[in-house]
């Protein structure tokens, strides 16, 4: 029971830092000398995201470092707690490919007229984040920093705490529900739930947070880069049925690729991790 209480307290801390810094950043306008910076963030929503999530990550890192110092190395660093383990090159390439397919799925979904009409929040999210001074700012904030933070929080820290309290399948489901809850609209929550399951599946299967991070940053960066490159128009020119085929085909290939990565690398990764644990144990024994 004590273990569960501490896990819940840590999750509350992670979310509390998020809300505290979000509140602070949203109230910078009350400080006169921050006016130019506030104006810059107002023109660039993606830069606002980058500033917020980078600041939160810094607080997390400092908190973990402080606890580690107090325990004299007896607690994990942020990278260790989140599961930033080395990912084999082949698995990394596979995750990047899943990210490309995720981009095509999103574009196909957006370009289905019925979907865009019934759920305008889906295409509006891309358009809103592209609103800014430069495309590179959108890619930096919404394509790199925001996805990396989401994975750190949901598939790294929160999933770790949940797996300490319940079976892996239940933890996988619960973190996906939490991820869906924080999406800005019901339609995006549905997509977020499915994405959360896929990202969590890759995180657990490959035992590395780098797996979902690579998927997310590849997909999101390409989603924003593809807009001015004319990819949306090209998919839209296929018509509703063609766009639906792109979305459905990409989704099936994503799922197939995720399953293949598990079959190809999961057992090998577990063996490597077990060997690493044995080496660490021998080293601690010798030092003791």
């Amino acid at each position: 029971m004590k273990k569960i209480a501490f896990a819940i307290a840590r999750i509350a801390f992670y979310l509390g830092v998020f809300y505290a810094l979000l509140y602070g950043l949203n109230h910078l306008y009350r400080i006169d000398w921050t006016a130019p910076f506030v104006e810059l963030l107002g023109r660039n929503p993606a830069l606002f995201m980058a500033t917020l999530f980078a600041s939160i990550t810094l607080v997390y890192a400092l908190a973990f470092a402080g606890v580690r110092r107090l325990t004299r190395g007896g607690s994990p660093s942020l990278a260790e707690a989140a599961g930033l383990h080395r990912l084999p090159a082949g698995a990394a390439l596979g995750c990047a490919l899943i990210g490309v397919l995720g981009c095509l799925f999103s574009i196909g979904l957006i370009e289905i007229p019925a979907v865009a009409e019934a759920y305008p929040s889906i295409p509006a999210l891309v358009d809103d984040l592209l609103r800014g001074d430069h495309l590179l700012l959108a890619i930096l904030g919404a394509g790199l920093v925001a996805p990396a933070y989401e994975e750190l929080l949901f598939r790294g820290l929160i999933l770790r705490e949940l797996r300490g309290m319940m079976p892996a399948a239940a933890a996988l489901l619960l973190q996906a529900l939490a991820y869906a809850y924080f999406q800005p609209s019901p339609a995006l929550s549905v997509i977020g739930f499915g994405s959360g399951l896929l990202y969590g599946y890759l995180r657990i299967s490959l035992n590395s947070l780098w797996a979902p991070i690579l998927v997310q940053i590849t997909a999101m960066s390409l989603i924003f880069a593809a807009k001015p490159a004319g990819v949306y128009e090209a998919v839209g020119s296929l018509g509703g049925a063609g766009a639906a085929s792109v979305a459905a085909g990409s989704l099936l290939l994503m799922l197939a690729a995720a399953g293949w990565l598990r079959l190809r690398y999961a057992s090998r990764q577990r063996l490597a991790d077990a060997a690493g644990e044995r080496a660490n144990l021998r080293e601690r024994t010798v030092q003791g």
Side-chain angles (χ1 to χ4, degrees):
M1 191 67 183
K2 185 177 179 181
K3 180 181 178 181
I4 294 176
F6 276 115
I8 293 174
R10 285 190 292 268
I11 292 175
F13 168 75
Y14 304 144
L15 297 177
V17 172
F18 168 80
Y19 282 114
L21 290 184
L22 176 62
Y23 178 85
L25 202 55
N26 277 324
H27 286 75
L28 278 179
Y29 66 88
R30 295 182 177 179
I31 305 174
D32 292 339
W33 60 267
T34 64
F37 182 58
V38 170
E39 182 182 352
L40 177 65
L41 295 183
R43 293 198 314 270
N44 298 277
L47 185 58
F48 179 92
M49 296 172 67
T51 303
L52 173 64
F53 294 143
S55 300
I56 296 171
T57 302
L58 177 60
V59 173
Y60 289 169
L62 292 174
F64 272 89
V67 173
R68 187 176 178 85
R69 184 178 182 85
L70 289 173
T71 59
R72 298 184 179 181
S75 61
S77 65
L78 176 61
E80 291 169 342
L84 286 168
H85 307 135
R86 192 185 71 84
L87 194 64
L93 184 60
C95 290
L97 175 60
I98 293 175
V100 174
L101 293 169
C103 169
L104 289 175
F105 167 76
S106 299
I107 294 174
L109 194 65
I110 288 172
E111 291 302 319
I112 299 173
V115 171
E117 182 178 346
Y119 307 104
S121 62
I122 299 177
L125 177 65
V126 176
D127 293 335
D128 184 57
L129 290 173
L130 279 172
R131 174 177 59 85
D133 294 341
H134 201 282
L135 171 64
L136 291 179
L137 290 178
I139 294 176
L140 171 66
L144 297 175
V145 178
Y149 170 74
E150 288 180 348
E151 295 312 310
L152 172 68
L153 177 61
F154 291 100
R155 262 65 64 181
L157 300 175
I158 290 180
L159 182 58
R160 172 179 182 260
E161 301 296 347
L162 293 176
R163 291 182 71 186
M165 295 187 283
M166 61 189 71
L172 177 64
L173 178 63
L174 196 55
Q175 64 82 26
L177 287 171
Y179 184 57
Y181 173 79
F182 281 93
Q183 301 304 313
S185 74
L188 290 168
S189 290
V190 173
I191 297 173
F193 176 70
S195 299
L197 287 176
L198 176 62
Y199 300 151
Y201 175 83
L202 290 170
R203 163 67 182 89
I204 293 174
S205 296
L206 299 177
N207 195 32
S208 175
L209 188 65
W210 286 117
I213 286 178
L214 279 172
V215 173
Q216 263 242 68
I217 64 174
T218 301
M220 296 305 296
S221 296
L222 290 177
I223 283 171
F224 294 109
K227 188 78 170 181
V231 178
Y232 286 72
E233 289 78 2
V235 173
S237 67
L238 300 175
S245 297
V246 170
S250 299
L251 178 59
L252 290 174
L253 288 173
M254 271 195 294
L255 297 177
W260 181 83
L261 283 175
R262 178 179 175 82
L263 292 174
R264 179 72 174 82
Y265 290 101
S267 59
R268 180 189 301 179
Q269 192 70 19
R270 283 194 294 269
L271 289 173
D273 293 336
E277 286 295 325
R278 288 194 296 269
N280 290 335
L281 180 59
R282 286 195 299 269
E283 182 179 347
R284 289 195 296 268
T285 303
V286 170
Q287 291 175 349

